């Protein structure tokens, strides 16, 4: 099982090279899986990719729930959050992925 090799890297990223939160990291992995399917098509060789994609979608729901619960705990404890008054979208900024192009 992958979890024995990688630990809980999806929900608790090590953040050595990336500062992406769990939600952003999982979204990047989902993008990678979708790209593989787009490039290779839905063939026997991508069957494992579909299974990985299903797993990452479940992990995304768990990670978003964890992030939401952490956000609510910080509010209850009157701790500062990364949510700013200027963000009028109402969305948790930890759930967003920012893409940069060269």
């Amino acid at each position: 099982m992958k979890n024995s090799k990688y630990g809980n890297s999806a929900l608790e990223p090590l953040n050595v090279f990336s500062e992406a939160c769990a939600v952003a990291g999982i979204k990047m992995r989902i993008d990678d899986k979708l790209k593989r399917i787009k490039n290779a098509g839905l063939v026997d060789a991508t069957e494992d990719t579909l299974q990985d994609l299903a797993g990452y979608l479940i992990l995304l729901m768990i990670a978003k729930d964890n992030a939401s619960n952490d956000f609510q705990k910080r509010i209850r404890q009157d701790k500062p959050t990364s949510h700013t008054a200027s963000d009028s979208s109402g969305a948790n900024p930890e759930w967003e992925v920012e893409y940069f192009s060269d």
Side-chain angles (χ1 to χ4, degrees):
M1 180 166 206
K2 287 184 182 181
N3 217 27
S4 62
K5 292 181 184 176
Y6 299 106
N8 196 9
S9 63
L11 297 175
E12 297 174 8
L14 190 56
N15 294 114
V16 174
F17 295 105
S18 169
E19 294 181 18
C21 67
V23 171
I26 294 168
K27 285 181 176 182
M28 286 184 269
R29 291 178 181 140
I30 290 170
D31 280 349
D32 291 342
K33 298 300 177 181
L34 291 171
K35 184 71 165 190
R36 181 169 186 228
I37 292 169
K38 179 183 177 195
N39 289 339
L42 290 172
V43 295
D44 289 342
T46 58
E47 183 70 27
D48 64 325
T49 305
L50 284 175
Q51 293 171 353
D52 290 346
L53 183 58
Y56 282 127
L57 290 170
I58 292 168
L59 283 172
L60 180 60
M61 290 186 290
I62 293 168
K64 288 179 83 169
D65 187 52
N66 288 348
S68 177
N69 288 338
D70 289 345
F71 183 70
Q72 290 173 13
K73 284 179 190 175
R74 288 193 305 260
I75 290 172
R76 286 189 200 111
Q77 296 171 353
D78 291 325
K79 290 186 178 178
T81 66
S82 60
H83 187 75
T84 63
S86 62
D87 181 9
S88 60
S89 67
N92 186 334
E94 294 176 359
W95 295 354
E96 299 301 318
V97 177
E98 196 169 335
Y99 293 94
F100 299 95
S101 61
D102 293 330

